[in-house]
Each structure stands twice: as C-alpha cells, then as structure tokens.
Amino acid sequence: MTKPTDDQLAKLGAAFDGFARRYKLADPDGIGRSLNEIDKYTLRFVADHPGCGPTDLARYLGVPTTTASSATDRLARRGLLQRDRVEGDRRAVALHLSPEGEALVADLVAAYRGLCRMMLERLSPTERDSFIGMITKIVYHDD
C-alpha cells in the first residue's frame, strides 16, 4: 500500500477541520452545551450499560480510572447519574442514569442522529454506504 501524499494529508486535514466546525460544534438547540465530551460519552455509555462500574467506563473511554471517577462525580453532582453500592462488595459501584440523565441522553442521541441525517442527506444512497464503510474501516482498523 502506498503512503498518502502531502497534498492528500493537507486536504484531509482541511476537510476534518471543516467537518468539526460544521457538525461537531453544531448544537442548534444547546443540548449538552454545558457538558464536556467525556461527560457526554459517560452518559451514553451508562445508558447502554446500566449497572456498569467506573472501571468499565474507563476502559471504554481509554482514560485512567481517576478520570472516569471525576466524570461520574461531576454528573452525580448535577443529578444526571446515580452511583449505587453493589450488595456484597462495599467498594464496588454500579452506575445508573437518573430520570434527568435519561432525558438528557435521549435529547443528545436525537440531536446526534439529526446531525448524521444532515450529513448523509448530502450523499446518494450508494455514496452513503461507501462513506459509512470507509469510516468504519478507519475507526475499527487496528494495526
């Protein structure tokens, strides 16, 4: 396989920069504006894995356990996350969303899907499948 050219790297960098400005930073309704990215990912992970522990979260996020614990502390203080002690192991904690956290995650997911819809609507059905395939290959290709 050949190496990417400097021109290709520059074009991809510019495209990613534009992509981030247009889509990642887009939050027309202000949903989640007061949350950082780790907090958003934490809420979504706990929504998909109720009862998980901070170690599970840290492994998913690829961060130290202390970072995951800080995120759960922030979210618990805001009333979005509940930390319950696991019966039989006083040191273990099971994470669950509060009703407010569940509502926020539903709004975040809806907003995210709206952004994805907006992106994919600009492509033909064939281009959509190709784009999704390429992105998936890049994200899940481990060397």
Coordinates of all heavy atoms in Angstrom, one line a residue, residues 1 4-7 10 16 19-20 24 28 30 33 35 45 55 63-64 78 80 103-104 109 116 130:
M1 N 0.8 -1.2 0.0 CA 0.0 0.0 0.0 C 0.9 1.2 0.0 O 1.9 1.3 0.7 CB -0.9 0.0 1.2 CG -2.0 0.9 1.2 SD -3.2 0.7 2.5 CE -4.0 -0.8 2.1
P4 N 0.2 8.1 1.9 CA -0.6 9.3 1.5 C 0.4 10.4 1.1 O 1.5 10.5 1.8 CB -1.4 9.7 2.7 CG -1.4 8.5 3.6 CD -0.2 7.7 3.3
T5 N 0.0 11.2 0.2 CA 0.9 12.3 -0.2 C 0.6 13.5 0.7 O -0.4 13.6 1.4 CB 0.5 12.8 -1.7 OG1 -0.8 13.3 -1.7 CG2 0.6 11.6 -2.7
D6 N 1.5 14.5 0.6 CA 1.4 15.7 1.5 C 0.1 16.4 1.1 O -0.6 17.0 1.9 CB 2.6 16.6 1.3 CG 3.8 16.1 2.0 OD1 3.7 15.2 2.9 OD2 4.9 16.5 1.7
D7 N -0.2 16.4 -0.2 CA -1.4 17.1 -0.7 C -2.7 16.4 -0.1 O -3.6 17.1 0.3 CB -1.5 17.1 -2.2 CG -2.6 17.8 -2.8 OD1 -2.8 19.0 -2.4 OD2 -3.4 17.2 -3.6
A10 N -3.0 17.3 3.5 CA -3.5 18.7 3.7 C -5.0 18.7 3.4 O -5.7 19.4 4.2 CB -2.7 19.6 2.8
F16 N -11.4 17.6 7.7 CA -11.7 17.4 9.1 C -12.0 18.6 9.9 O -12.8 18.7 10.8 CB -10.6 16.5 9.8 CG -10.7 15.0 9.5 CD1 -9.6 14.2 9.6 CD2 -11.9 14.5 9.2 CE1 -9.7 12.9 9.4 CE2 -12.0 13.1 8.9 CZ -10.9 12.3 9.1
F19 N -15.3 19.8 8.9 CA -16.3 18.9 9.5 C -16.5 19.1 10.9 O -17.7 19.2 11.4 CB -15.7 17.4 9.3 CG -16.6 16.3 9.7 CD1 -17.6 15.8 8.8 CD2 -16.6 15.8 11.0 CE1 -18.4 14.8 9.2 CE2 -17.4 14.8 11.4 CZ -18.3 14.3 10.5
A20 N -15.4 19.3 11.7 CA -15.6 19.6 13.1 C -16.3 20.9 13.4 O -17.2 20.9 14.2 CB -14.2 19.6 13.8
K24 N -19.5 18.8 14.6 CA -19.2 18.5 16.0 C -19.6 19.7 16.9 O -20.2 19.5 18.0 CB -17.7 18.2 16.2 CG -17.4 17.8 17.6 CD -15.9 17.4 17.7 CE -15.5 17.0 19.0 NZ -15.5 18.0 20.0
P28 N -27.6 23.3 17.6 CA -28.6 24.4 17.4 C -29.5 24.6 18.6 O -29.9 25.7 18.9 CB -29.4 23.9 16.2 CG -29.1 22.5 16.1 CD -27.8 22.2 16.7
G30 N -28.7 23.8 21.8 CA -28.0 24.0 23.0 C -28.0 22.7 23.9 O -27.7 22.8 25.1
R33 N -24.7 21.6 25.8 CA -23.7 22.6 25.7 C -22.9 22.8 27.0 O -21.7 23.1 26.9 CB -24.4 23.9 25.3 CG -23.4 25.0 25.1 CD -24.0 26.2 24.4 NE -24.1 25.9 23.0 CZ -25.0 26.4 22.2 NH1 -25.9 27.3 22.7 NH2 -25.1 26.1 21.0
L35 N -22.0 20.4 28.9 CA -21.2 19.2 29.2 C -20.0 19.1 28.3 O -20.0 19.4 27.2 CB -22.1 17.9 29.0 CG -23.3 17.8 29.8 CD1 -24.1 16.6 29.3 CD2 -22.9 17.6 31.3
F45 N -22.6 5.9 27.6 CA -22.1 4.5 27.9 C -23.0 4.0 29.0 O -23.4 2.8 28.9 CB -20.6 4.6 28.3 CG -20.1 3.2 28.6 CD1 -19.7 2.3 27.6 CD2 -20.0 2.8 30.0 CE1 -19.2 1.1 27.9 CE2 -19.5 1.5 30.3 CZ -19.1 0.7 29.2
T55 N -14.6 1.3 36.3 CA -13.5 0.6 35.6 C -14.0 0.3 34.2 O -13.2 0.5 33.2 CB -13.0 -0.7 36.3 OG1 -12.6 -0.3 37.6 CG2 -11.9 -1.3 35.6
V63 N -9.3 6.0 29.3 CA -8.8 7.0 30.2 C -8.4 6.3 31.5 O -9.0 5.2 31.8 CB -9.7 8.2 30.4 CG1 -10.0 8.9 29.1 CG2 -11.0 7.7 31.1
P64 N -7.6 7.0 32.4 CA -7.4 6.4 33.7 C -8.7 6.3 34.5 O -9.6 7.1 34.3 CB -6.4 7.4 34.3 CG -5.8 8.1 33.2 CD -6.8 8.2 32.1
R78 N -24.6 16.9 39.4 CA -25.6 17.6 38.6 C -26.9 16.8 38.6 O -27.9 17.3 37.9 CB -25.1 17.7 37.2 CG -23.9 18.7 37.1 CD -23.4 18.8 35.7 NE -24.3 19.6 34.9 CZ -24.1 20.1 33.7 NH1 -22.9 19.9 33.2 NH2 -25.0 20.7 33.1
L80 N -27.5 13.9 37.2 CA -27.7 13.1 36.0 C -27.3 11.6 36.1 O -27.8 10.8 35.3 CB -26.9 13.8 34.8 CG -27.2 15.2 34.5 CD1 -26.2 15.8 33.5 CD2 -28.6 15.3 34.0
A103 N -33.4 11.5 30.2 CA -34.0 12.5 29.3 C -32.9 13.3 28.5 O -33.1 13.5 27.3 CB -34.8 13.5 30.1
L104 N -31.8 13.6 29.2 CA -30.7 14.3 28.5 C -30.1 13.4 27.4 O -29.9 13.9 26.3 CB -29.7 14.8 29.5 CG -28.5 15.5 28.9 CD1 -28.9 16.8 28.1 CD2 -27.5 15.9 29.9
V109 N -28.9 11.9 21.9 CA -29.0 10.9 20.8 C -29.8 11.5 19.6 O -29.4 11.3 18.5 CB -29.5 9.6 21.3 CG1 -29.9 8.6 20.2 CG2 -28.5 8.9 22.3
C116 N -26.2 13.4 11.9 CA -25.8 12.3 11.0 C -26.8 12.3 9.8 O -26.3 12.2 8.6 CB -25.9 11.0 11.7 SG -24.6 10.7 12.9
S130 N -20.9 3.7 0.9 CA -19.4 3.8 0.8 C -18.8 4.6 1.9 O -17.8 4.2 2.5 CB -19.0 4.4 -0.6 OG -19.4 3.6 -1.6

